Amino acid sequence: MFAYFAALNLLDAKVLFSQQKVSELMDPATVGHRASLERHHLFPKAYLKTLGIVTTRDTNQIANYAMVEWGDNMKISDLPPAEYVPVLNERFSGKELERMYYWHALPDGWENMAYMDFLRQRREMMAKVIQDAYQLLAGEHPAVEAATIPVADLVGQGETTTVEFKSSLRINLHTGEKDPRMELGVLKTLTAFINANGGTLGPRKK
């Protein structure tokens, strides 16, 4: 599990169902009275109990964990994934969902899968994410010359490890208030691009 979380940091992944990055919310400097990031059971334990799945070994499988913002964790509560996933997915475009499902190793239609089948498929996908992060760490990825790509093409291709869109510089879109974590996230992205192979940072249309 720790290897997978480290991979999400290396891949500059965003938190599940969020526009904020895993690295931003795992940073001790962003922690308030309650942790910004929480581990969530994708199939909540109370829901699994209704299916007759009650042992800790089964409910607390690593493949059943994902990192979400604490506010989303509260909203999800004990709802079955078939109920909460469609609602949370409405926040994102198709491209964003595709990237999010890759980072978080989620099979298409996972919310309607049988639990044990879901665990089996997600383990394999998590292993692939870890492998991709290791290759990135080892420098086995092609450098991207973002400056030679037209802006329209960059937007059309969506976010990558060298293209990042930000919805806000200072305002937390969930609370509507100024949030220093948002500014810190932009600064971290700029710093990461400067110290890597470069990148492109642009505004996200609402």
Side-chain angles (χ1 to χ4, degrees), residues 97-109:
L97 284 174
E98 181 181 352
R99 197 66 180 158
M100 184 176 71
Y101 272 45
Y102 159 71
W103 282 324
H104 295 281
L106 297 172
D108 289 335

Side-chain angles (χ1 to χ4, degrees), residues 173-190:
L173 300 184
H174 291 301
T175 65
E177 300 177 351
K178 288 184 179 180
D179 189 336
R181 293 179 301 179
M182 309 306 293
E183 297 179 6
L184 182 62
V186 172
L187 291 174
K188 284 187 173 181
T189 300
L190 290 171

Side-chain angles (χ1 to χ4, degrees), residues 7 31 38 60 128 136 147 162 175 198 200:
V31 176
E38 295 185 345
N60 286 358
K128 177 65 167 61
L136 183 68
T162 54
T175 65
T200 302

Side-chain angles (χ1 to χ4, degrees), residues 11-106:
L11 294 172
D12 214 23
K14 292 182 179 178
V15 177
L16 184 60
F17 304 124
S18 173
Q19 295 291 359
Q20 298 201 60
K21 293 183 180 180
V22 171
S23 58
E24 294 169 2
L25 296 189
M26 289 187 75
D27 190 327
T30 68
V31 176
H33 297 295
R34 178 168 180 168
S36 303
L37 199 62
E38 295 185 345
R39 280 192 300 174
H40 159 68
H41 287 81
L42 292 167
F43 283 71
K45 289 193 288 186
Y47 168 64
L48 290 175
K49 187 175 181 179
T50 67
L51 303 178
I53 302 172
V54 296
T55 64
T56 301
R57 178 184 180 278
D58 288 333
T59 61
N60 286 358
Q61 287 279 324
I62 290 174
N64 193 29
Y65 280 125
M67 290 190 287
V68 299
E69 292 190 60
W70 70 266
D72 286 332
N73 203 12
M74 292 282 289
K75 292 175 185 175
I76 292 169
S77 186
D78 296 325
L79 292 173
E83 289 187 25
Y84 74 78
V85 170
V87 176
L88 296 180
N89 278 355
E90 288 180 356
R91 300 176 182 175
F92 307 94
S93 68
K95 284 282 187 183
E96 289 174 318
L97 284 174
E98 181 181 352
R99 197 66 180 158
M100 184 176 71
Y101 272 45
Y102 159 71
W103 282 324
H104 295 281
L106 297 172

